[in-house]
Amino acid sequence: MDQIRKIFTTFKKKTITLLELEHLLNPFFPTYEAFSETILQFEEREILVMVKAKGRTDRSPSLAFQYRINKSLLMRDFHKELQIYRGKLHPSINIDEYYRMDPSIWKKHLPFILKVDQFIKQNSFPTEYVPAPERSYELVGDEKWIIEKGGKEILERIGLFHLLNIIPVSEPLMFAINPKKINARKQYHLIVENKTTYQGLLQILRETKFSTLIYGRGKAIIKSIEQFSIQYPVVAHHDFFYFGDLDKEGIWIWHALNNKQPVRLAMPFYFVCLKKEPAVGKAYQREHGDSMKAFLLKFPLVEQEVIRNMLASGKYWPQETLKTRELQQVWRESDWTSLIYKK
């Protein structure tokens, strides 16, 4: 019956015909009698409500030619179950998101949530950081659960991932430190996409207001940024800036990173790039609508149009457009503090 309830819950339309019912439920019933008996049970519970205008069959037992699926009643039972578990689970486990999801997802995740609940009740929250596989094995008895089997998403959904002191399994973050700024209460960090730009700026790191220069290694930064607080455990207010290739891929990297860790565009570098002649190529890159829109909104209207037209024509601005001396001059002389207060 649970499988049939799931079919009704996930059926896209509000009404369902008898032919559709027979097609969907055929694998569950060897005979018409068994099929019709179950349908009548759902009628009696008012989960299936006859559409009177369509009438009923002449067969015995008689079924309606069309039913309205009472999805609110189906979800009511599910929500009651969630309410019961809210009273049973540890107060730190938040299952509110499941109210908006298909009940089958809850059924699939529940065994793992119960194991996590048991772990917290027996051990409280851990005080030491350990690698994801180790914590995964402690929680559910499977070292691959967090990273490879969806455990991280479940823990984030119930609001526990950051409370379990999990060291993410990602490549180490690569960065250089400015010793002059390591004790500052407010710290700036510049992430650059490519190695050439990193090497060019590294020479003057001590001459800037920045505490670190981070080598993003393309899209690797999207995962490795998770290591920042562990590799750089300095208590301060941290502001991140990003400078990457001004192409569709570079824009997507910034947007994906910004969704994980708020990071401003290093606008002074981009404005200088826009004064240069764009390169030709990378027309093969796919545009990501959301990332392009978010990126362009950071620029004045004139620059938005220039960027949009150039990228549409297959042109782009690599970071290498700026020579080492230009990069260094922009980094030294730009007013980065004022950029913090601009949207």
Side-chain angles (χ1 to χ4, degrees):
M1 290 291 257
D2 284 344
Q3 289 177 296
I4 297 173
R5 291 171 72 93
K6 177 184 175 183
I7 290 173
F8 291 158
T9 303
T10 57
F11 193 71
K12 292 183 179 179
K13 296 184 294 183
K14 294 180 179 179
T15 60
I16 187 168
T17 66
L18 184 57
L19 286 175
E20 288 172 326
L21 280 170
E22 290 174 340
H23 175 72
L24 290 171
L25 305 186
N26 184 58
F28 299 98
F29 303 103
T31 64
Y32 173 78
E33 287 72 20
F35 165 73
S36 58
E37 182 182 341
T38 300
I39 297 302
L40 290 173
Q41 287 178 14
F42 279 107
E43 268 197 66
E44 186 178 345
R45 297 175 190 175
E46 297 184 344
I47 291 172
L48 291 179
V49 180
M50 172 187 173
V51 178
K52 293 181 179 180
K54 300 295 183 179
R56 301 184 75 90
T57 67
D58 294 329
R59 296 185 67 175
S60 181
S62 177
L63 300 177
F65 283 111
Q66 189 173 47
Y67 290 97
R68 179 173 56 83
I69 303 173
N70 191 346
K71 294 192 177 185
S72 62
L73 187 59
L74 285 169
M75 295 303 290
R76 191 185 307 161
D77 291 343
F78 171 51
H79 290 170
K80 284 181 180 177
E81 180 181 344
L82 289 178
Q83 193 65 37
I84 291 170
Y85 274 103
R86 286 180 75 172
K88 292 180 178 179
L89 296 170
H90 189 279
S92 298
I93 296 178
N94 186 341
I95 60 173
D96 288 353
E97 281 198 29
Y98 288 98
Y99 282 88
R100 300 185 293 273
M101 303 177 76
D102 185 276
S104 63
I105 298 175
W106 165 254
K107 295 289 186 185
K108 183 179 178 181
H109 291 179
L110 180 58
F112 300 105
I113 294 174
L114 291 176
K115 288 183 179 181
V116 173
D117 174 64
Q118 183 180 17
F119 174 86
I120 298 171
K121 287 175 177 175
Q122 291 179 351
N123 305 283
S124 190
F125 288 101
T127 56
E128 296 182 355
Y129 278 90
V130 300
E134 181 179 338
R135 185 71 76 219
S136 185
Y137 188 79
E138 287 179 338
L139 292 173
V140 301
D142 182 350
E143 71 279 5
K144 297 181 180 180
W145 178 67
I146 290 178
I147 300 301
E148 299 180 29
K149 298 182 179 180
K152 183 174 187 289
E153 289 74 18
I154 294 175
L155 292 175
E156 288 177 336
R157 181 166 291 138
I158 62 178
L160 292 189
F161 185 78
H162 295 294
L163 297 176
L164 291 168
N165 289 350
I166 299 166
I167 299 174
V169 177
S170 56
E171 292 295 321
L173 191 64
M174 301 177 66
F175 59 90
I177 295 174
N178 181 356
K180 295 181 179 179
K181 299 295 181 180
I182 198 168
N183 294 317
R185 293 176 61 186
K186 190 174 183 64
Q187 301 199 12
Y188 302 154
H189 310 275
L190 176 62
I191 303 167
V192 295
E193 183 180 338
N194 299 331
K195 188 182 296 184
T196 302
T197 306
Y198 175 83
Q199 294 292 352
L201 291 174
L202 181 60
Q203 305 169 43
I204 65 156
L205 174 57
R206 288 173 176 243
E207 302 171 33
T208 73
K209 296 180 178 180
F210 284 73
S211 299
T212 69
L213 174 64
I214 301 171
Y215 171 37
R217 293 187 303 140
K219 64 180 66 174
I221 186 63
I222 299 169
K223 285 293 292 178
S224 60
I225 195 66
E226 297 173 349
Q227 302 278 0
F228 179 80
S229 60
I230 300 172
Q231 292 182 230
Y232 191 78
V234 176
V235 178
H237 178 84
H238 300 287
D239 283 301
F240 294 86
F241 289 86
Y242 180 83
F243 176 43
D245 290 337
L246 214 170
D247 58 19
K248 296 171 185 174
E249 180 78 4
I251 291 170
W252 175 81
I253 292 171
W254 164 75
H255 190 243
L257 175 62
N258 188 53
N259 285 337
K260 179 172 286 189
Q261 163 66 59
V263 54
R264 294 173 171 82
L265 290 173
M267 300 300 288
F269 291 112
Y270 287 105
F271 281 125
V272 177
C273 281
L274 290 173
K275 295 178 182 178
K276 305 287 186 177
E277 192 69 25
V280 178
K282 300 194 177 181
Y284 59 88
Q285 289 185 347
R286 184 167 68 90
E287 181 175 317
H288 301 265
D290 290 345
S291 58
M292 182 64 70
K293 181 179 179 181
F295 183 84
L296 290 176
L297 285 174
K298 302 297 180 182
F299 291 83
L301 291 176
V302 173
E303 283 74 12
Q304 287 184 34
E305 195 64 22
V306 171
I307 295 170
R308 188 182 291 109
N309 291 338
M310 287 299 103
L311 295 181
S313 65
K315 297 180 180 180
Y316 71 105
W317 292 268
Q319 288 184 288
E320 290 79 7
T321 284
L322 302 185
K323 305 300 182 186
T324 297
R325 187 170 297 177
E326 290 178 297
L327 283 167
Q328 294 177 348
Q329 182 179 0
V330 171
W331 204 19
R332 274 199 214 96
E333 299 179 7
S334 297
D335 184 1
W336 299 99
T337 303
S338 66
L339 291 173
I340 293 294
Y341 301 101
K342 294 181 179 179
K343 292 185 179 180

